[in-house]
Amino acid sequence: MKTDSMIQSKPGSPVQSVGRWLTAAALGVAVTMSVPLVTTTVAPVLGETALGKVQAQEKKKQQTRRTPAIRAKVFEKLNEAQELAEEKKYNEALGKLNELRDKEGRGALNSYEMANLYNLYAFIYFTKEDYDKALGAYEQVIKQEDIPYAMEVNTKFTIAQLYFVKEDWKKGVNTLLDWFKLKEELGEPVGANAHALLSQGYYQLGDQRKSLKHVEIAIDDYKQKGKVPKEQWWGLQRYLYFEKNDIKKVVEILEETLKYYQKKAYWQQLAAMYGELKREKDMVSAMETAYVQDLLDKEKELINMAYLFLSIEVPYKAGKVIDKGIKAKQIEATSKNLELLANSWRQAQEIKRAIPEMREAARKSDDGELWARLGNIYLDNDEFEKAAEAVRNGLKKGGVKRPDTAQLVLGMAEFNLKNYEEARKAFREAKKNERSKVYAEQWIQFMDRELAREKALAKEA
């Protein structure tokens, strides 16, 4: 009568563990997919709007205004302030601007001179991170009459960006929409970055439909030009589809993102989404890809990787993950983790590798459960004396979840050692539990037949 197939220990279900992992991963998506702020790079450059360069742009745009010229004496003072600003002598530069404004008199400067004056103020305040004053100065720029059209367009975009920096989303969106109209009048494309910025604004205002529309325009614009969309754009698009519960689209976006941006969080998200779609093999493949790239370095991640392998019945890989993690000190050699390693090796039919791990797990355990399991493994390996010793140790220590099963293992070990009375005693103890009663009786009957057969053979001899 075979002993190794009759009683198998029942380690914690890997399927249940994977279920918990998937649930945690799916819930974690709301955090890991949290919307990244689309970069709002506000970097006004002095030379782009100061001292006549906009007039050169104006001619290219073929949409002109009758803009007054900057007089020589005003040009000279603006140039002095600009040079001081470029040298980062901001207080001196502000002094020059104040002097020009107050000495010449606000009414004495024409609209274009005032526009350049306030543009320099704005640049200095922005550089000093005084965004309120910078915003006020830029707003003064566009209030001036008859300034070059390009100057108005550029300044409006900078104002929109500053509203975003200040998290005044409504004003930022409205100013950006005004800028879109100006660009349309010029017959110029607004560009992907502006659409991405507008998408961010709409998201912050709670208009996810418009947010998705504009981030997809930004992404498509880059794709059509053969450029890789920015990581944050895909992040926002992915989040918006996740909010719509369009998991298939989220998977599609993650798969595309991972072609260019290899990050652990994306592989984890993809695995979670595959799990939501019941694509278990793809789920495991996604996490394994992250694992082989050494992106999984935390204990919980490695333990979950092992459980995923167990869930698709690849216990050998599960054992390799845990074994490598313990040796690399990424996984602590606790009783629970050693138990998982032992169970993985056992399911992989690596019995000799399972025994020392389960023995160490049992030694570190507070109760006798793992000793009982160790006895079962010894039984599988035909080490009957050690099996009996381990089971007795477990029963003595207490806390064995299925003492009836442990008694069956003890009975089989003693039977193979020909300790029939000890075996009968163990089987009788097992019979006290209804779950093991039939099986224990079968063993007693089998043992009685074997004893009768041995007596018959002895008489014949």
Side-chain angles (χ1 to χ4, degrees), residues 106-126:
R106 301 188 187 200
L109 297 177
N110 65 44
S111 60
Y112 191 38
E113 291 168 341
M114 287 291 287
N116 277 277
L117 175 78
Y118 280 113
N119 187 69
L120 284 170
Y121 270 125
F123 178 83
I124 294 168
Y125 287 135
F126 173 81

Side-chain angles (χ1 to χ4, degrees), residues 9-70:
S9 65
K10 296 182 179 179
S13 168
V15 175
Q16 292 177 351
S17 299
V18 171
R20 290 193 293 271
W21 155 239
L22 283 176
T23 301
L27 290 173
V29 168
V31 177
T32 57
M33 288 188 181
S34 58
V35 181
L37 280 175
V38 175
T39 305
T40 53
T41 305
V42 188
V45 181
L46 277 170
E48 291 296 323
T49 54
L51 310 183
K53 289 201 175 183
V54 168
Q55 288 178 322
Q57 295 176 357
E58 193 73 23
K59 293 177 183 178
K60 295 178 183 178
K61 293 179 175 24
Q62 296 181 347
Q63 183 160 345
T64 60
R65 290 171 175 170
R66 295 180 64 84
T67 302
I70 299 179

Side-chain angles (χ1 to χ4, degrees), residues 146-401:
D146 300 325
I147 62 173
Y149 205 84
M151 188 177 201
E152 180 182 353
V153 172
N154 294 340
T155 304
K156 265 192 177 293
F157 187 70
T158 302
I159 290 172
Q161 289 179 300
L162 279 170
Y163 277 130
F164 276 76
V165 170
K166 287 169 54 62
E167 298 185 2
D168 190 337
W169 311 111
K170 188 171 183 179
K171 286 185 178 179
V173 166
N174 289 337
T175 305
L176 198 54
L177 289 173
D178 288 342
W179 179 81
F180 270 51
K181 291 176 182 177
L182 291 174
K183 293 289 282 185
E184 185 179 350
E185 291 172 8
L186 286 171
E188 296 179 351
V190 298
N193 286 286
H195 278 289
L197 185 60
L198 184 57
S199 172
Q200 179 67 45
Y202 277 130
Y203 170 77
Q204 296 293 346
L205 292 175
D207 193 333
Q208 294 190 1
R209 182 183 64 82
K210 289 183 179 178
S211 178
L212 183 57
K213 171 187 172 183
H214 285 280
V215 78
E216 290 193 326
I217 291 173
I219 290 170
D220 290 342
D221 180 270
Y222 260 44
K223 286 182 179 178
Q224 290 170 10
K225 293 174 181 176
K227 299 167 68 176
V228 177
K230 294 182 180 179
E231 185 178 0
Q232 299 99 321
W233 299 355
W234 267 325
L236 179 55
Q237 182 195 32
R238 184 173 70 250
Y239 177 84
L240 291 169
Y241 274 110
F242 180 73
E243 287 292 289
K244 292 174 66 175
N245 200 34
D246 191 339
I247 304 302
K248 288 184 178 179
K249 187 65 177 179
V250 173
V251 166
E252 179 185 316
I253 296 166
L254 280 166
E255 288 174 340
E256 191 168 13
T257 303
L258 280 162
K259 293 176 184 177
Y260 306 98
Y261 302 102
Q262 291 283 325
K263 288 189 175 179
K264 174 170 63 178
Y266 298 158
W267 286 113
Q268 290 175 327
Q269 290 170 23
L270 183 58
M273 294 301 97
Y274 281 145
E276 290 291 304
L277 296 175
K278 308 300 181 186
R279 294 168 58 179
E280 285 81 5
K281 289 185 178 179
D282 289 331
M283 172 189 70
V284 178
S285 294
M287 290 306 298
E288 186 175 11
T289 302
Y291 174 71
V292 298
Q293 293 182 62
D294 294 324
L295 296 176
L296 306 184
D297 52 8
K298 293 182 172 57
E299 179 178 277
K300 186 175 181 180
E301 295 167 349
L302 295 169
I303 294 294
N304 284 332
M305 185 74 256
Y307 275 125
L308 286 172
F309 280 133
L310 290 173
S311 74
I312 61 169
E313 300 180 356
V314 189
Y316 184 80
K317 285 189 175 182
K320 293 290 286 184
V321 169
I322 301 299
D323 187 51
K324 181 181 177 183
I326 289 175
K327 289 175 179 176
K329 300 188 183 306
Q330 292 174 306
I331 297 176
E332 188 179 355
T334 62
S335 176
K336 184 177 180 180
N337 291 338
L338 289 168
E339 176 193 355
L340 175 60
L341 177 56
N343 287 330
S344 299
W345 287 140
R346 187 183 184 194
Q347 290 180 46
Q349 302 302 312
E350 295 281 341
I351 303 301
K352 289 184 178 180
R353 300 176 77 171
I355 287 173
E357 307 300 347
M358 186 63 82
R359 185 171 56 238
E360 183 64 13
R363 189 185 67 80
K364 292 184 174 184
S365 178
D366 294 329
D367 57 41
E369 172 66 19
L370 297 186
W371 285 106
R373 292 190 185 177
L374 176 62
N376 204 347
I377 299 174
Y378 276 132
L379 186 67
D380 287 346
N381 203 44
D382 296 336
E383 296 183 63
F384 304 119
E385 287 186 10
K386 290 182 178 179
E389 180 184 359
V391 172
R392 283 199 169 90
N393 194 10
L395 291 170
K396 182 179 179 181
K397 197 168 186 180
V400 177
K401 294 177 182 178

